[in-house]
Amino acid sequence: MLKAGLVLLAVFAAAYFLEKREMDRRALPGAWLVAIVLAGGVTLVAGSVQGLAEAWRTKAAPETDPAQWQDGQRVRGGGVLRAAGRVSVAPFSGREALVLWYNATAPHWDEHNRQSRPSFRGIDVAPCYLETAGGRVALAGVPNLRLLSEEQFSGTEHLDRAANHLARADWSSAPETWSGALEEGDALVSGSPGSLPSNLINRLGREALGMEAGQAGAAEIRQRLAERNWLLRERILGPGAEVTAVGTFRANPPRVDVNYGPTSAQHSITPGAAAATASRDLSQTVIFILVLALLTAAAHWVVFSSGGAVYRGLLDRVVSR
């Protein structure tokens, strides 16, 4: 990882030197800033090629041989999720879940802070294991929840379930400002088994649902939910789901750590068999590189075409506005 980072840093430095030299040679304005952007594009393309090589290797060998797993090694395997204890119940759909993320928000127009809105949300990861062709392996940690498909719900049945969940669950305070980044950040600070399930509600949510003084009855909450246009969303992996797990193998006790965080960004649990997800990842990587390369080439054409005439004309139009 460190070696790859140093290589990309060297690529960026060399690209920046060449880009700025060519812009200075043409006496183009804003050379240092534009050179950074162009060099950044070149570096991203170079880094993506490394990702392409890895995706190609993964497609050729979608699963890591369990017989060769070593402590601390990143491994990849496919199988079926099975419960190893309790099973969660999703608050809106009522389905069984081993990995659960949910979120509910209602409109709230505030002249001073339009980002604030009533909301409640939560995550849970029940004890589970991956049943593979080579045997069972326990899974530990909170995976990247964004990789799960999202479903939205509305209607009487779902509001009833939401009201019952609100009345029965233990709630902690959430930040006032709604943010998708904050929602995903909940998983990063809730990865220990003792902290799950995690249910968060903000002050506006308590006020909108009549829960300022603490818990409230399901009937009252159900009435409050019906008064606003609440958006209910879930992401779920249930028992029996076929998935691909990527994580770090821990030998004592034997388990695959799929916990997602800044130092484990490649950890994941994604729906689908190992071969299918490997093929999908390769296709997505190829498309991403092609788009990125085309954008980088277009940026270079704008800056250097006709001795910089296109770039000067575009800059003049922007400045004249």
Side-chain angles (χ1 to χ4, degrees), residues 59-288:
K59 185 178 185 302
E63 299 186 71
T64 312
D65 185 358
Q68 300 178 3
W69 289 3
Q70 298 180 1
D71 188 49
Q73 176 188 3
R74 183 161 63 88
V75 298
R76 189 178 198 273
V80 177
L81 273 184
R82 301 295 187 192
R86 67 176 180 86
V87 177
S88 299
V89 176
F92 308 142
S93 65
R95 292 180 295 173
E96 290 187 335
L98 295 175
V99 179
L100 167 67
W101 171 96
Y102 71 88
N103 172 275
T105 55
H108 179 77
W109 298 106
D110 186 332
E111 294 181 358
H112 303 290
N113 186 0
R114 292 181 180 270
Q115 289 299 312
S116 293
R117 64 184 74 177
S119 70
F120 61 93
R121 61 183 183 268
I123 61 172
D124 192 14
V125 179
C128 59
Y129 61 86
L130 187 66
E131 187 174 57
T132 72
R136 297 178 176 180
V137 59
L139 301 178
V142 181
N144 185 354
L145 302 172
R146 285 190 179 276
L147 298 180
L148 308 184
S149 59
E150 179 181 296
E151 293 186 66
Q152 298 183 3
F153 303 93
S154 61
T156 301
E157 181 182 5
H158 302 299
L159 290 182
D160 289 341
R161 292 197 185 101
N164 289 329
H165 176 70
L166 284 159
R168 296 171 182 172
D170 293 326
W171 295 94
S172 300
S173 297
E176 292 305 311
T177 301
W178 180 87
S179 167
L182 285 176
E183 292 174 9
E184 299 307 324
D186 294 339
L188 302 182
V189 298
S190 303
S192 61
S195 64
L196 297 177
S198 173
N199 302 293
L200 303 175
I201 186 170
N202 67 0
R203 178 182 56 82
L204 292 174
R206 290 185 182 275
E207 292 177 358
L209 297 169
M211 299 171 59
E212 302 97 316
Q215 299 298 95
E220 178 186 356
I221 295 175
R222 170 65 176 80
Q223 182 178 354
R224 297 286 189 111
L225 284 170
E227 293 173 355
R228 292 174 178 260
N229 186 25
W230 284 84
L231 174 62
L232 310 178
R233 301 179 291 160
E234 288 179 350
R235 297 173 187 158
I236 292 176
L237 283 176
E242 187 172 23
V243 300
T244 301
V246 178
T248 301
F249 177 65
R250 307 297 182 189
N252 189 24
R255 66 195 187 279
V256 174
D257 179 6
V258 295
N259 200 54
Y260 175 74
T263 60
S264 54
Q266 293 179 314
H267 286 186
S268 64
I269 300 179
T270 53
T277 56
S279 296
R280 184 175 66 222
D281 290 347
L282 177 60
S283 299
Q284 292 175 346
T285 301
V286 170
I287 294 173
F288 174 79

